[in-house]
Amino acid sequence: MRSPTPIVAFAVACISFPAIAQKPGGSLGNLPPQAQPNPPRAAPGPQTALPRDKPPPLGRQQAGPQPGGRPQVTPQQPGGRPPGPMAALPSDKPPPLGAAMPRPPSGATGPGGGRQPPRDVSSGTGFVVAPRQIMTNHHVAQGCTAMIARTAAGQDIAATVIAVDEQRDLALLRTDADAGPVLPFRSTAEVRRGENVVTYGFPLAGLLSSGPTLTTGDVSALAGLGDNSRQIQISAPVQQGNSGGPLLDLRGHVVGVIVSKLNAARIAERTGDIPQNVNFAVKHTEAVDFMREHGVQPQLEDPTAPLRSAAEIGEVAHASTLFLRCLR
């Protein structure tokens, strides 16, 4: 058989050339591989990251630019101070507290049109512990030139700070008008781990519901942060604005005053673990002693009263729990 002519051999080579060139990384003889275009890379999608900053305090908020076009919330603190640890009691001496006065009309100015009137800088919760007497946290009332309490009926009344205890983080306010019925305290000192409790207050005012919020949980430990014997640890969720609100048992008796929560973001930075529902309240025995030290007689109730549902406890607390605004 005769070998194929040069023309036939050339035709066979031309037919096989495209198939070899299309293989990834293929080559002809000593020629380098054909360059392949890089596939387009997909744009990264939104990523969810754990917060690294301390949750902002309540008060007036200002919207500012944020990467991605989302508004950024800038916290406003009394005196322009940056937020401190949430779970620690204030360590600096509180400034003198002036007498309370009604909130001035919006847009009003001081004498000569110079100084601006007091404005809301923070908020918290309080509850009636005696006729025209309100209890809250010291850090809620600290540095306020005036305080306004809003009753369950929606009435704004002026409140004057009459006593504070920095170590316990408690304060007593007096109102000229009736603030609501008195919430009784538990008459015994016993609080047990695992006991069901209810919180009632005004968390994240301006962001969440304008009305009060109820949460439920248990007593987790009989001491607070750093083994603080004046506090108990609870699992009931609380937020900024719950400070000063009542912690109640299922008989409707006050067993604590909400004071702080563990800063989950900071703990996560240090340990890599996110703590959940680690919150604290001042023990009711400390609140009762504080009242008696300042001449206010608490109302104590029999611990054998019938148990109620959380919804019923909320109805009891509603008329006695007040939304507090701090003015500077």
Side-chain angles (χ1 to χ4, degrees):
M1 180 183 293
R2 294 189 302 174
S3 62
T5 62
I7 296 177
V8 175
F10 178 78
V12 172
C14 291
I15 293 173
S16 62
F17 174 76
I20 298 176
Q22 289 176 358
K23 292 181 180 180
S27 61
L28 290 176
N30 294 327
L31 295 179
Q34 182 178 359
Q36 298 292 325
N38 292 326
R41 301 179 61 182
Q47 305 227 354
T48 302
L50 293 177
R52 299 181 64 85
D53 299 328
K54 180 179 177 181
L58 287 181
R60 292 186 180 270
Q61 298 173 334
Q62 300 176 348
Q66 186 178 5
R70 297 182 179 177
Q72 182 179 16
V73 176
T74 303
Q76 296 292 324
Q77 281 269 6
R81 295 174 299 177
M86 295 177 61
L89 298 179
S91 58
D92 55 336
K93 183 177 179 181
L97 298 174
M101 56 185 176
R103 186 181 184 186
S106 177
T109 58
R115 187 177 179 181
Q116 295 295 322
R119 62 185 181 89
D120 294 8
V121 294
S122 62
S123 66
T125 304
F127 61 101
V128 182
V129 294
R132 298 185 179 183
Q133 305 282 339
I134 301 171
M135 179 169 286
T136 188
N137 289 143
H138 166 259
H139 73 260
V140 172
Q142 184 181 15
C144 304
T145 59
M147 295 196 72
I148 302 297
R150 178 172 296 170
T151 68
Q155 178 186 5
D156 284 350
I157 56 178
T160 305
V161 179
I162 59 174
V164 297
D165 189 318
E166 183 178 356
Q167 296 303 315
R168 291 184 174 118
D169 200 354
L170 295 174
L172 277 173
L173 315 179
R174 182 179 62 241
T175 63
D176 295 332
D178 182 23
V182 174
L183 271 182
F185 285 80
R186 178 184 286 189
S187 60
T188 61
E190 180 185 7
V191 177
R192 298 180 301 167
R193 297 179 187 87
E195 184 173 345
N196 299 130
V197 288
V198 175
T199 74
Y200 206 76
F202 297 88
L204 301 176
L207 296 178
L208 301 182
S209 169
S210 59
T213 298
L214 180 151
T215 62
T216 61
D218 305 312
V219 175
S220 304
L222 303 183
L225 189 66
D227 210 26
N228 186 345
S229 61
R230 290 177 169 173
Q231 299 180 3
I232 57 176
Q233 179 183 326
I234 60 173
S235 64
V238 299
Q239 309 294 337
Q240 296 282 338
N242 274 116
S243 292
L247 179 71
L248 305 113
D249 62 17
L250 293 187
R251 290 181 169 86
H253 303 154
V254 177
V255 293
V257 182
I258 302 302
V259 66
S260 62
K261 63 180 296 184
L262 196 64
N263 191 318
R266 291 189 178 181
I267 298 300
E269 286 182 2
R270 297 179 182 180
T271 67
D273 187 25
I274 303 176
Q276 298 180 12
N277 295 337
V278 181
N279 309 304
F280 305 98
V282 181
K283 290 180 178 178
H284 69 290
T285 52
E286 296 291 330
V288 167
D289 289 345
F290 171 61
M291 293 173 62
R292 288 172 172 166
E293 290 168 6
H294 294 280
V296 179
Q297 185 60 36
Q299 179 178 327
L300 304 178
E301 290 292 338
D302 185 356
T304 61
L307 294 174
R308 306 176 182 180
S309 67
E312 292 172 327
I313 298 302
E315 292 172 354
V316 170
H318 181 77
S320 305
T321 306
L322 302 100
F323 174 62
L324 299 179
R325 302 201 313 271
C326 171
L327 309 181
R328 286 182 62 89

